[in-house]
């Protein structure tokens, strides 16, 4: 694995590169960083080139003065791809990373062969979610950011999986604890400001997978399925035993699904 930085908007974006072949880009979620992918990225890298990056304000990437909107994030992703001379890629966005991926679809669709929405959705925040994010901003501004992740991280896993994946829960807590207060606030403000991109997803002709966990505490399965409109080129994949972290909770199944998806893209080209 190689560790690198790309220049972006007066700062630097940290990323790693593994393997060779078709380029797969992994974009992490809220309170995460590129290292959350860990052995899952290694598994994909046995067959493909895998780029995993820290979004602005997260992990080892620079913190910027402006709110970290989805367009600002997707521009950061593009800076990494430009540096790596990755003209066309398959993008996988987890949670917040899915919001960023749809911004990338909107702004740089010519750089994509296909994409995967992983435990994410294309909609703007509801008033209730906006209030929750604003509450978290107030907590962080009060100097109490370390009270957030001990609650948020366990909820990412299906309730029945908490004991099984207790080591992963603790590892993610450590990653979350290293986030800078300013970065958390900027990302929260960026998510609040984001628009719905349901029409972007629906009208895109790119091959895509929409992966949901049936036990997701953050994106209730039945709720999202009742209103989700999929493009003709899209497919829904349900993970029976996952919450919000399918790449950890059902690693083998999800890796096989992704590898098959990428292989089919190669056969179509």
């Amino acid at each position: 694995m190689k560790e690198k930085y790309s220049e972006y908007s007066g700062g630097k974006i940290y990323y790693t590169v593994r393997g060779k072949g078709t380029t797969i880009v992994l974009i992490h979620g809220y309170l995460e960083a590129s290292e959350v992918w860990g052995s899952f990225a290694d598994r994909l890298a046995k067959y493909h080139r895998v780029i995993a990056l820290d979004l602005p304000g997260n992990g080892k990437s620079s913190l910027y003065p402006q709110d970290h909107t989805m367009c600002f994030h997707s521009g950061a992703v593009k800076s990494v791809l430009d540096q790596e001379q990755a003209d066309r890629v398959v993008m996988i966005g987890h949670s917040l990373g899915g919001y960023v991926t749809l911004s990338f679809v909107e702004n740089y669709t010519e750089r994509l062969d296909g994409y995967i929405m992983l435990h994410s959705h294309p909609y703007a925040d509801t008033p209730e979610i906006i209030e929750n994010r604003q509450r978290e901003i107030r907590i962080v501004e009060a100097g109490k950011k370390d009270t957030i992740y001990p609650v948020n991280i366990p909820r990412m896993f299906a309730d029945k999986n908490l004991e099984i994946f207790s080591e992963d829960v603790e590892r993610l807590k450590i990653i979350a604890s290293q986030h800078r207060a300013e970065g958390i606030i900027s990302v929260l403000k960026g998510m609040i400001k984001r628009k719905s991109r349901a029409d972007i997803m629906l009208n895109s002709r790119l091959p895509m997978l929409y992966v949901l966990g049936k036990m997701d505490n953050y994106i209730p399965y039945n709720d999202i399925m009742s209103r989700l409109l999929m493009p003709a080129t899209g497919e829904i994949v349900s993970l029976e035993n996952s919450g919000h972290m399918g790449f950890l909770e059902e690693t083998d199944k999800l890796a096989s699904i992704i590898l098959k998806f990428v292989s089919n893209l190669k056969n179509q080209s």
Side-chain angles (χ1 to χ4, degrees):
M1 182 181 78
K2 296 180 180 179
E3 298 182 79
K4 299 184 177 184
Y5 287 89
S6 69
E7 300 288 336
Y8 180 61
S9 193
K12 293 186 177 182
I13 301 300
Y14 170 84
Y15 66 98
T16 61
V17 182
R18 302 166 167 89
K20 297 179 180 179
T22 300
T23 301
I24 298 174
V25 181
L26 302 177
I27 307 180
H28 65 79
Y30 172 55
L31 294 179
E32 300 175 7
S34 56
E35 61 186 297
V36 301
W37 299 102
S39 59
F40 190 78
D42 290 334
R43 180 173 301 208
L44 299 180
K46 292 179 180 179
Y47 308 95
H48 303 288
R49 177 167 71 156
V50 177
I51 297 174
L53 63 127
D54 289 349
L55 292 170
N58 295 265
K60 298 177 182 178
S61 289
S62 296
L63 177 66
Y64 296 84
Q66 63 266 57
D67 295 342
H68 296 163
T69 65
M70 301 309 105
C71 287
F72 188 72
H73 282 315
S74 63
V77 176
K78 180 179 179 292
S79 76
V80 171
L81 301 190
D82 288 346
Q83 179 160 299
E84 288 300 310
Q85 299 181 331
D87 294 331
R88 297 184 69 88
V89 305
V90 179
M91 192 166 292
I92 303 175
H94 175 241
S95 196
L96 161 64
Y99 309 153
V100 177
T101 296
L102 284 181
S103 175
F104 200 94
V105 171
E106 180 180 29
N107 294 301
Y108 313 108
T109 189
E110 72 281 356
R111 303 293 293 271
L112 294 169
D113 284 328
Y115 68 99
I116 299 173
M117 294 282 287
L118 181 57
H119 307 297
S120 190
H121 64 77
Y123 308 109
D125 281 349
T126 64
E128 179 183 5
I129 293 174
I130 288 174
E131 173 52 34
N132 287 337
R133 298 202 199 283
Q134 291 173 335
R135 178 182 56 82
E136 289 198 353
I137 289 172
R138 293 192 294 271
I139 291 171
V140 177
E141 289 176 336
K144 299 179 180 179
K145 73 178 181 71
D146 289 340
T147 65
I148 294 176
Y149 65 82
V151 177
N152 288 17
I153 299 301
R155 287 194 70 227
M156 292 182 178
F157 293 79
D159 295 342
K160 74 168 191 173
N161 289 339
L162 278 174
E163 184 175 349
I164 301 170
F165 295 101
S166 59
E167 290 185 7
D168 287 305
V169 171
E170 294 308 311
R171 181 172 67 89
L172 265 63
K173 285 182 180 179
I174 293 172
I175 293 171
S177 72
Q178 296 169 348
H179 279 60
R180 293 154 288 184
E182 298 86 351
I184 295 174
I185 292 170
S186 292
V187 169
L188 285 167
K189 288 182 176 179
M191 287 194 286
I192 289 171
K193 289 181 176 180
R194 84 182 187 282
K195 66 180 182 180
S196 172
R197 289 188 169 85
D199 59 333
I200 300 297
M201 190 177 87
L202 179 61
N203 295 319
S204 172
R205 296 181 180 180
L206 289 169
M208 64 90 72
L209 288 181
Y210 196 100
V211 181
L212 291 167
K214 284 201 169 180
M215 301 179 184
D216 197 323
N217 292 312
Y218 282 107
I219 303 178
Y221 181 82
N222 290 331
D223 174 65
I224 205 74
M225 288 293 288
S226 69
R227 57 194 178 108
L228 187 64
L229 296 175
M230 289 289 289
T233 53
E235 178 185 351
I236 297 174
V237 174
S238 301
L239 299 179
E240 300 286 336
N241 298 300
S242 289
H244 200 64
M245 304 296 290
F247 61 95
L248 296 175
E249 294 172 281
E250 292 187 71
T251 299
D252 292 342
K253 180 177 181 179
L254 184 57
S256 296
I257 289 168
I258 291 172
L259 291 172
K260 181 179 179 181
F261 177 72
V262 176
S263 177
N264 287 342
L265 290 177
K266 291 172 65 178
N267 293 335
Q268 293 168 12
S269 61

